[in-house]
């Protein structure tokens, strides 16, 4: 049954429904933080593939697998969101993609500490990356359903903060319960390291964590009805979906170019934000004298302040608009980054490093609300699909600039300058974009 596109705005705004939506973000940290970033990827490259024969290292194979998954995401994301919306299957798509992501995570339990299992691990991680990113499209699209124009900033900030805090809690559980210690048994649970069992059980725990956390949103938030907001998209096949997409982009360019400009600007500064977390731990040890054991503590603190920043900035987003929050956050990060170029020692790194992280959460959260405010009702999925695609398109930028500055100045510290440059370019691009219309 068809419904007017604007009927999907603010249809699930009770506290219970908002919490159910946000708890999915809490659970999603199980994939991002535990599987892809801190635990299982390290196990795959440093343990499973450490004796891989041949001239190509396990780390290279891992980076190529993740890179290939990024290409697939960039190609599929825009038409996926478009089809989810047009067919009124946003929640159903989220359920299927979340379930498949959880299945790929659970499958990692069978990746033993033997290089023969490296390929299974790479396939499952790459597949999980694709499925997770595609699942994020209908999830982000639901932001309009669980918020009103007056509180969308607070709701988005709540979701981002839940993701940060969920990652912290699960990482601490995994570290103390399954990983810490030396010898043949690890963690407070005394798990054997034979065949990598303790890390394989971490993957299983992460899968269960995500699955349980994802359940509430499927019961609390209603399915979006099909709409006529994007003519022809509901019945389009694969090739036709791209034709619809290119038609919509031409119309968008003619009618309101700021959506296109914002997609470009956000891709730039979001890559800079990602670079802050990607290279923060490396710089902490190599430049500022933070002990290896203390890096985890800094990571926990960084996620705490980023989460607090996101939930606090949501109120300013609703009052002053997302552009003001993003611009202030990026400017503050640039200043803190410049200070870090000239100071030394663990204490000053803790102070200004955490200031950097404090503004990452607000910039990410308000970037989501900026796009949600621009998207025509009923076409949020298509816009967030393009959001994923443009982000992937420039994901090389921050790592490249970081490495270039390190090479040019022959100092790890100089890499901060590369990240600052990306943030400056992103901020400049954002300032050229007209803010969403105020409600």
């Amino acid at each position: 049954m068809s419904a007017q596109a604007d009927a999907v705005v603010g249809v699930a705004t009770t506290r219970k429904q908002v919490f159910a939506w946000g708890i999915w973000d809490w659970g999603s940290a199980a994939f991002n933080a535990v599987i892809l970033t801190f635990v299982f990827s390290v196990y795959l490259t440093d343990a499973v593939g450490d004796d891989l024969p041949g001239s190509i290292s396990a780390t290279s194979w891992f980076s190529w697998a993740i890179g290939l998954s990024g290409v697939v995401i960039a190609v599929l994301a825009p038409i996926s969101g478009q089809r989810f919306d047009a067919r009124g299957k946003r929640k159903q798509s989220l359920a299927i993609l979340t379930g498949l992501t959880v299945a790929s995570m659970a499958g990692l339990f069978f990746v033993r500490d033997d290089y023969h299992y490296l390929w299974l691990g790479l396939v499952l991680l790459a597949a999980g990356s694709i499925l997770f990113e595609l699942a994020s499209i209908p999830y982000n699209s639901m932001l309009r359903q669980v918020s009103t124009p007056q509180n969308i900033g607070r709701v988005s900030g709540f979701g981002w903060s839940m993701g940060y805090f969920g990652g912290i809690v699960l990482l601490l559980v995994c570290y103390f319960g399954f990983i810490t210690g030396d010898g043949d048994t690890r963690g407070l649970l005394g798990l054997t390291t034979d065949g990598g069992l303790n890390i394989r059980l971490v993957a299983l725990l992460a899968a269960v964590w995500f699955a349980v956390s994802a359940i509430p949103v499927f019961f609390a938030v209603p399915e979006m009805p099909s709409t006529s907001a994007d003519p022809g998209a509901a019945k389009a096949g694969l090739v036709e979906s791209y034709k619809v997409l290119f038609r919509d982009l031409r119309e968008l360019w003619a009618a309101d170019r700021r959506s296109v400009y914002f997609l470009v600007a956000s891709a730039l500064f979001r890559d800079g934000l990602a670079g802050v977390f990607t290279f923060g731990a490396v710089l902490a040890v190599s430049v500022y004298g933070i002990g290896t054991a203390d890096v985890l503590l800094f990571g926990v603190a960084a996620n705490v302040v980023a989460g607090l920043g996101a939930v606090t900035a949501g109120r300013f987003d609703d009052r002053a608009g997302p552009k003001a929050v993003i611009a202030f956050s990026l400017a503050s990060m640039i200043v803190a980054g410049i200070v870090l170029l000239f100071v030394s020692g663990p204490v000053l790194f803790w102070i200004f490093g955490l200031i950097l992280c404090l503004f990452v959460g607000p910039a990410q959260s308000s970037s989501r609300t900026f796009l949600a405010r621009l998207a025509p009702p009923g076409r949020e999925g298509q816009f967030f699909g393009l959001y994923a695609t443009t982000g992937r398109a420039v994901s090389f930028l921050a790592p490249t600039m970081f490495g270039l500055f390190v090479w040019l100045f022959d100092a790890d510290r100089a890499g901060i300058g590369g990240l600052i440059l990306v943030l400056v370019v992103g901020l400049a691009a954002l300032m050229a974009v007209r803010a969403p219309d105020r409600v």
Side-chain angles (χ1 to χ4, degrees), residues 316-339:
F316 293 97
D317 185 309
D318 291 328
R319 294 174 184 172
K323 181 178 178 178
V325 173
I326 300 170
F328 181 77
S329 298
L330 294 178
S332 300
M333 293 178 69
I334 291 167
V335 171
I338 292 173
V339 173

Side-chain angles (χ1 to χ4, degrees), residues 110-132:
F110 300 100
V111 180
R112 297 178 58 84
D113 186 1
D114 182 323
Y115 75 84
H116 292 95
Y117 291 87
L118 175 65
W119 317 112
L120 174 62
L122 291 175
V123 168
L124 289 173
L125 269 184
S129 297
I130 295 169
L131 293 164
F132 178 77

Side-chain angles (χ1 to χ4, degrees), residues 401-411 414:
M401 295 307 298
F402 181 90
L404 178 63
F405 272 60
V406 170
W407 174 70
L408 286 175
F409 296 95
D410 193 25

Side-chain angles (χ1 to χ4, degrees), residues 7 91 278 424:
K91 186 170 74 170
T278 301
V424 168

Side-chain angles (χ1 to χ4, degrees), residues 1-2 16 123 136 160 180 194 203 209 263 300 317 324 334-335 357 360 362 376 425 427 437:
M1 182 177 66
S2 179
K16 176 182 177 181
V123 168
S136 298
W160 272 111
T180 187
D194 184 41
W209 180 282
L263 287 169
V300 170
D317 185 309
I334 291 167
V335 171
C357 296
V360 171
V425 173
L427 176 58
D437 298 331

Side-chain angles (χ1 to χ4, degrees), residues 289-364:
I290 301 290
T292 304
D294 293 332
V295 170
L296 177 64
L297 295 178
F298 180 80
V300 170
N303 278 275
V304 168
V305 298
L308 291 175
V311 74
T312 302
R315 296 184 177 275
F316 293 97
D317 185 309
D318 291 328
R319 294 174 184 172
K323 181 178 178 178
V325 173
I326 300 170
F328 181 77
S329 298
L330 294 178
S332 300
M333 293 178 69
I334 291 167
V335 171
I338 292 173
V339 173
L340 282 172
L341 276 172
F342 298 99
V343 301
S344 299
V347 174
L348 290 176
F349 178 80
W350 271 88
I351 294 172
F352 290 99
L354 290 180
I355 290 175
L356 266 175
C357 296
L358 174 66
F359 292 102
V360 171
Q364 289 176 322

Side-chain angles (χ1 to χ4, degrees), residues 149-422:
Q150 290 75 28
N151 71 0
I152 189 172
R154 279 169 285 173
V155 173
S156 180
F158 169 72
W160 272 111
S161 65
M162 290 293 283
Y164 282 121
F165 295 139
I168 294 165
V169 173
L170 184 56
L171 279 173
L172 291 176
V173 169
C174 292
Y175 179 75
F176 290 108
F178 297 75
I179 299 173
T180 187
D182 298 304
D184 295 332
T185 58
R186 299 290 176 87
L188 298 176
L189 298 177
L191 300 172
T192 179
T193 59
D194 184 41
L197 181 62
N198 62 319
I199 304 299
R200 290 156 53 205
L201 287 172
V202 165
L204 208 56
L205 171 64
V208 173
W209 180 282
F210 193 7
V212 172
S213 300
I215 290 173
V217 72
F218 303 124
F219 289 95
V221 180
E223 180 63 278
M224 185 193 83
S226 60
T227 77
S228 57
D230 198 8
K235 296 181 179 179
L238 182 63
V239 175
E240 289 74 17
S241 291
Y242 285 101
K243 293 180 180 179
V244 171
L245 174 65
F246 294 137
R247 179 205 67 195
D248 291 345
L249 288 175
R250 287 193 299 269
E251 294 175 353
L252 187 64
W253 181 257
D256 187 0
R257 297 182 183 182
R258 61 179 166 172
S259 298
V260 179
Y261 292 151
F262 177 71
L263 287 169
V264 174
S266 69
L268 293 170
F269 69 71
R270 283 186 292 139
D271 194 47
L273 299 177
V276 170
F277 275 106
T278 301
F279 298 105
V282 175
L283 293 171
V285 175
S286 65
V287 175
Y288 297 96
I290 301 290
T292 304
D294 293 332
V295 170
L296 177 64
L297 295 178
F298 180 80
V300 170
N303 278 275
V304 168
V305 298
L308 291 175
V311 74
T312 302
R315 296 184 177 275
F316 293 97
D317 185 309
D318 291 328
R319 294 174 184 172
K323 181 178 178 178
V325 173
I326 300 170
F328 181 77
S329 298
L330 294 178
S332 300
M333 293 178 69
I334 291 167
V335 171
I338 292 173
V339 173
L340 282 172
L341 276 172
F342 298 99
V343 301
S344 299
V347 174
L348 290 176
F349 178 80
W350 271 88
I351 294 172
F352 290 99
L354 290 180
I355 290 175
L356 266 175
C357 296
L358 174 66
F359 292 102
V360 171
Q364 289 176 322
S365 175
S366 290
S367 180
R368 177 164 65 182
T369 63
F370 196 119
L371 188 63
R373 290 179 187 272
L374 290 179
R379 287 175 56 189
E380 294 88 353
Q382 183 186 66
F383 272 57
F384 278 107
L386 290 167
Y387 191 67
T389 294
T390 52
R392 290 287 175 173
V394 300
S395 60
F396 66 91
L397 189 59
T400 300
M401 295 307 298
F402 181 90
L404 178 63
F405 272 60
V406 170
W407 174 70
L408 286 175
F409 296 95
D410 193 25
D412 287 356
R413 178 193 296 269
I416 300 173
L419 299 180
I420 292 173
L421 181 59
V422 175

